[in-house]
Amino acid sequence: MAKAKVKKDEPTAAEPASDVVMDEAPTSHQPEAADDGMSVDANENEDDIEEEEDEEEEEEEVQRVRLLPGSTPTAASFEFLNEGHTLGNALRYIIMKNPEVEFCAYAIPHPSENKMNVRIQTFEGTTAIEALQKGLRDLQELCDVVTDKFIDARERFVAASSS
Amino acid sequence: MDYDPMIMDDAEALGPVVKISQADSVRVKWELSNTDMSFANSLRRVMLAEIPTIAIDLVEIEENSTVLADEFIAHRLGLLPLNAEGVESLLYSRDCDCDGCCEHCSVRLTLHAKCTGDENMHVFARDLVPTGDRINQVLGTPVITDSEGLGPLILKLRPGQEIKLECIAKKGIAKEHAKWAPSAAIGFEYDPHNKLHHLDLWYESDPKAEWPPSEYAAWEEPPQEGEPFDYDAVPNRFYFNVETAGPLPPDVIISEGIKVLQQKLAGLIHELADEGGDGGVNGGGYNGGGPRSPEYGAGAGVDGFNGGGVHNTLWRRRRRESERVGWRRGGDGIWDDAVRGGEQLVVRGTLARRGGGLLTT
């Protein structure tokens, strides 16, 4: 959607031109931020020290979800690090259950990269991010239900076999 | 879930159902129904590969005059099932503040055996004794289930031979190395009559005669003669057979599996909430704030985050992280396993003296 319009919007950006081109390239071929000094520093300078402290903490916790370039509010691709089919397929299923979601799919672009991509396209009523968050929460609820059902079944089984 | 039940299959609207058909101390056979295969498979995968347990990871060999090579013995020790009760309060040694390993992130076991008689001597897992402080009195003890109370055979000694070593057992998951797998195997089956034609059964003359029916075949309606193929049918009943290798009781494997899945989800929900909650996390590049995720920065238009600093900062940060851990932890397995051939071996003494050994110190 309207990708072409915004190409040169940010002259301060590190590599606006290459980003435009890279929109179309597979993620594995996109540069890992060659030198991002300019734009980042401009934003970070004021609280440089604080930021450094923050960063040290953040080293412990890598950001594992990323929005891929070319996404719009209602149609977005997410990249998950260190996730695979275990989460991908179940998440895809549960997100597809959401009536607000038009399309959802997942892929593991390359087996030796620990990355999993999820594509979500929604109808106008919601955004892809909200659909993703709802999907995660719904899957958690499903897990809760299965846990409860399993505990019940276990108790019933123990009761039945002891009597 | 607050979805309109109309859009769901009738059965699915009722929610998942769990039935246990058989259970003892080694296995649970159970059925999960009214859910999708993707969820059932997630559960299977998570029980198989992502439940934390404890296994021997480092072996320090002090004396080995047996016929077996040090690394051979170290590998055998790594595969011994150890009791994982209470492993949740053990830290991963990579997360521990200690230098190397301590009682918060590891369990030490020692083995010392010398054959002094005329007969060959058998060394069993029961001869491996935990030493030092432990979180509880069972964590890290070798699992012994045989009636004589011996446990698995580790090695045999000829008269005069001796083995003396110390092991460090650490917490881990089977995705990193199969020795951390809590289960021996997880049976997973659906559609015993192959009504969905997911299987293409090989046969000489008649598949019905040549393929014995599954034990679950009696649980489901057999296909009627001349029944048309149902193109809309999806698998709905999944039969699990969770068999433990000893570290955890089988029912605990199931509940731990769901727990691990929950933790995975909770971590992601937390992260997404963080990302939306304060723009600071992302270096200020997002025009964010508020619960709505700030990626769609108003200033830069649809692709604003793309050219801006955020994207780059994230990448830089991630690259730094990847250099640090080398992507080894929590990988999906293939490469990690190949690179990391299992136990590390610390050799002190013997090999240096022996000279002809495979390893040099």
Side-chain angles (χ1 to χ4, degrees):
Chain A
M1 261 189 233
K3 220 181 281 170
K5 267 191 283 176
V6 291
K7 275 178 188 171
K8 301 285 179 194
D9 260 359
E10 267 200 323
T12 50
E15 297 174 47
S18 74
D19 269 344
V20 171
V21 179
M22 286 306 160
D23 264 2
E24 310 301 329
T27 44
S28 52
H29 284 212
Q30 290 179 16
E32 298 194 0
D35 186 10
D36 41 284
M38 279 165 62
S39 57
V40 173
D41 286 350
N43 289 322
E44 282 180 358
N45 264 346
E46 32 194 294
D47 44 8
D48 224 350
I49 303 154
E50 197 189 327
E51 195 63 35
E52 258 168 47
E53 281 169 12
D54 278 359
E55 274 190 3
E56 232 158 76
E57 280 170 32
E58 280 160 29
E59 291 250 78
E60 299 298 313
E61 218 176 297
V62 214
Q63 183 160 3
R64 287 168 59 224
V65 191
R66 183 170 79 102
L67 194 70
L68 291 176
S71 300
T72 66
T74 56
S77 301
F78 302 90
E79 181 186 80
F80 291 72
L81 291 180
N82 298 327
E83 293 297 346
H85 297 285
T86 309
L87 188 79
N89 200 9
L91 196 58
R92 187 221 86 230
Y93 157 73
I94 212 90
I95 291 174
M96 244 351 238
K97 279 254 169 257
N98 185 340
E100 303 265 273
V101 172
E102 184 191 16
F103 173 85
C104 179
Y106 86 103
I108 288 166
H110 195 283
S112 59
E113 282 185 319
N114 281 324
K115 289 175 181 169
M116 190 263 296
N117 292 351
V118 176
R119 173 76 180 172
I120 304 172
Q121 290 170 209
T122 65
F123 295 114
E124 285 304 315
T126 184
T127 65
I129 293 226
E130 281 165 7
L132 175 66
Q133 284 172 329
K134 181 167 167 52
L136 290 165
R137 283 194 302 270
D138 287 345
L139 197 52
Q140 252 191 339
E141 272 176 54
L142 178 57
C143 287
D144 285 337
V145 171
V146 174
T147 311
D148 291 347
K149 295 272 172 98
F150 179 74
I151 291 168
D152 278 359
R154 189 179 176 280
E155 276 167 10
R156 259 182 285 125
F157 184 84
V158 170
S161 54
S162 62
S163 64
Chain B
M1 288 187 290
D2 52 351
Y3 295 139
D4 180 5
M6 287 300 283
I7 63 150
M8 295 187 169
D9 305 326
D10 289 342
E12 215 166 315
L14 300 170
V17 176
V18 175
K19 270 183 225 153
I20 298 177
S21 59
Q22 190 196 322
D24 53 39
S25 58
V26 275
R27 76 178 71 241
V28 179
K29 285 185 176 182
W30 58 293
E31 179 195 334
L32 178 66
S33 48
N34 286 346
T35 184
D36 189 68
M37 176 139 73
S38 57
F39 179 72
N41 192 42
S42 292
L43 199 52
R44 180 192 68 86
R45 285 174 65 97
V46 101
M47 289 192 290
L48 204 58
E50 295 185 46
I51 296 175
T53 59
I54 183 169
I56 290 170
D57 199 40
L58 290 160
V59 180
E60 197 168 333
I61 293 175
E62 222 168 287
E63 181 64 52
N64 175 16
S65 52
T66 68
V67 294
L68 301 177
D70 292 358
E71 57 269 41
F72 188 99
I73 296 169
H75 181 240
R76 285 183 73 76
L77 289 167
L79 296 176
L80 289 176
L82 304 182
N83 196 322
E85 198 184 320
V87 78
E88 56 276 2
S89 39
L90 195 72
L91 290 169
Y92 284 105
S93 66
R94 58 172 176 274
D95 296 336
C96 191
D97 292 328
C98 70
D99 195 26
C101 48
C102 65
E103 72 270 18
H104 301 297
C105 64
S106 65
V107 172
R108 278 171 186 273
L109 300 109
T110 54
L111 175 66
H112 186 192
K114 184 169 187 178
C115 181
T116 48
D118 309 327
E119 295 273 301
N120 284 358
M121 184 183 170
H122 293 194
V123 179
F124 293 98
R126 67 148 183 211
D127 302 318
L128 200 59
V129 273
T131 51
D133 288 337
R134 278 192 284 170
I135 284 172
N136 62 48
Q137 283 311 299
V138 287
L139 180 67
T141 339
V143 173
I144 293 168
T145 47
D146 56 321
S147 51
E148 291 98 71
L150 299 170
L153 179 65
I154 300 170
L155 47 82
K156 296 180 184 177
L157 299 170
R158 292 256 289 168
Q161 291 179 346
E162 186 184 3
I163 181 84
K164 186 174 187 193
L165 49 84
E166 190 173 74
C167 310
I168 295 162
K170 291 180 179 173
K171 184 180 175 180
I173 59 170
K175 205 152 91 171
E176 186 174 339
H177 192 289
K179 67 188 175 183
W180 279 297
S183 55
I186 293 184
F188 181 78
E189 195 181 332
Y190 62 93
D191 187 25
H193 297 292
N194 197 23
K195 280 182 181 171
L196 303 169
H197 295 202
H198 285 192
L199 292 177
D200 190 10
L201 298 173
W202 180 91
Y203 61 94
E204 293 263 6
S205 52
D206 177 22
K208 281 211 172 62
E210 289 162 39
W211 289 92
S214 144
E215 63 177 301
Y216 304 109
W219 298 32
E220 288 188 23
E221 205 58 22
Q224 303 301 309
E225 198 63 48
E227 184 185 292
F229 178 69
D230 183 359
Y231 290 93
D232 296 324
V234 285
N236 184 250
R237 301 175 71 179
F238 305 94
Y239 305 100
F240 287 85
N241 179 356
V242 179
E243 182 187 343
T244 179
L248 294 167
D251 54 327
V252 175
I253 293 180
I254 299 167
S255 36
E256 282 291 302
I258 304 174
K259 205 170 100 187
V260 170
L261 204 53
Q262 295 265 40
Q263 283 163 352
K264 229 183 220 298
L265 292 163
L268 287 166
I269 290 172
H270 179 73
E271 191 175 308
L272 282 173
D274 263 7
E275 213 174 299
D278 62 88
V281 175
N282 297 316
Y286 289 143
N287 301 324
R292 188 172 169 280
S293 198
E295 278 82 353
Y296 320 112
V302 179
D303 270 352
F305 59 90
N306 194 2
V310 178
H311 178 89
N312 292 335
T313 330
L314 297 186
W315 268 113
R316 192 180 54 171
R317 204 165 284 157
R318 196 162 307 129
R319 191 167 49 175
R320 201 185 306 136
E321 179 71 13
S322 72
E323 279 159 8
R324 199 165 63 89
V325 299
W327 288 127
R328 271 180 44 215
R329 301 293 182 185
D332 226 326
I334 305 165
W335 292 107
D336 308 343
D337 282 349
V339 175
R340 214 194 111 90
E343 303 68 37
Q344 296 168 46
L345 194 66
V346 185
V347 182
R348 199 201 304 167
T350 49
L351 273 182
R353 266 185 274 123
R354 220 195 280 160
L358 285 168
L359 301 172
T360 47
T361 42

